[in-house]
Amino acid sequence: MHQLTIDGVGTCEVEEGTRLVRAIEDCGGAVGHRCGGRCRCTTCRVQFEEGEPQVMTEAEHAKLTDTGQFGEVRLACQIVVDRDMSLTPLMTVEDQGWDDAGPEPALMVEPDAEWFSIEMLEEK
């Protein structure tokens, strides 16, 4: 189990291997996932205070690079909890005035995840 601290929500325990987008909701947060956690919309953006993983999926890298956000934010739909983390969700149901966060994300990262070190991706 890992500690997940969410700004404005608090701290809860999360089972290792849980997708971060789902963990935030399980802990009472309402981060957006308008595309259902498929790395298409960037509404699940978070900023880490501590515990940012040093790996990234190819899909997350492509989306953040395309939107000019690489190195600024991370996508909760593309992260698996494997350590204690402290973060701030940047788009929530309340902030955006949505009726809900979006379609329920699958249990596993979508699209099929190919993981790379951020250091390697920065060199691209």
Side-chain angles (χ1 to χ4, degrees):
M1 298 293 274
H2 297 286
Q3 296 289 314
L4 177 59
T5 303
I6 306 165
D7 185 42
V9 175
T11 301
C12 69
E13 289 206 348
V14 176
E15 188 173 326
E16 179 149 349
T18 304
R19 284 180 81 179
L20 182 57
V21 67
R22 292 178 65 98
I24 292 169
E25 284 193 331
D26 291 347
C27 293
V31 69
H33 47 79
R34 306 305 289 172
C35 70
R38 293 185 180 98
C39 199
R40 293 183 187 152
C41 68
T42 75
T43 59
C44 66
R45 293 188 305 265
V46 297
Q47 287 183 322
F48 279 88
E49 283 83 46
E50 294 180 20
E52 180 177 351
Q54 294 305 301
V55 296
M56 181 178 282
T57 66
E58 184 175 27
E60 181 182 15
H61 178 257
K63 179 55 76 176
L64 292 178
T65 300
D66 288 349
T67 60
Q69 298 178 87
F70 180 73
E72 304 294 321
V73 298
R74 296 293 304 269
L75 300 180
C77 73
Q78 297 296 295
I79 296 171
V80 175
V81 176
D82 65 352
R83 66 193 72 215
D84 291 352
M85 298 176 172
S86 179
L87 56 87
T88 301
L90 300 179
M91 296 185 80
T92 64
V93 171
E94 297 84 15
D95 293 343
Q96 301 302 310
W98 296 324
D99 291 332
D100 60 41
E104 183 177 356
L107 293 174
M108 305 300 288
V109 173
E110 296 178 308
D112 290 337
E114 288 189 54
W115 302 92
F116 299 94
S117 73
I118 291 176
E119 185 176 292
M120 186 187 91
L121 293 169
E122 289 173 334
E123 295 171 4
K124 283 187 170 185

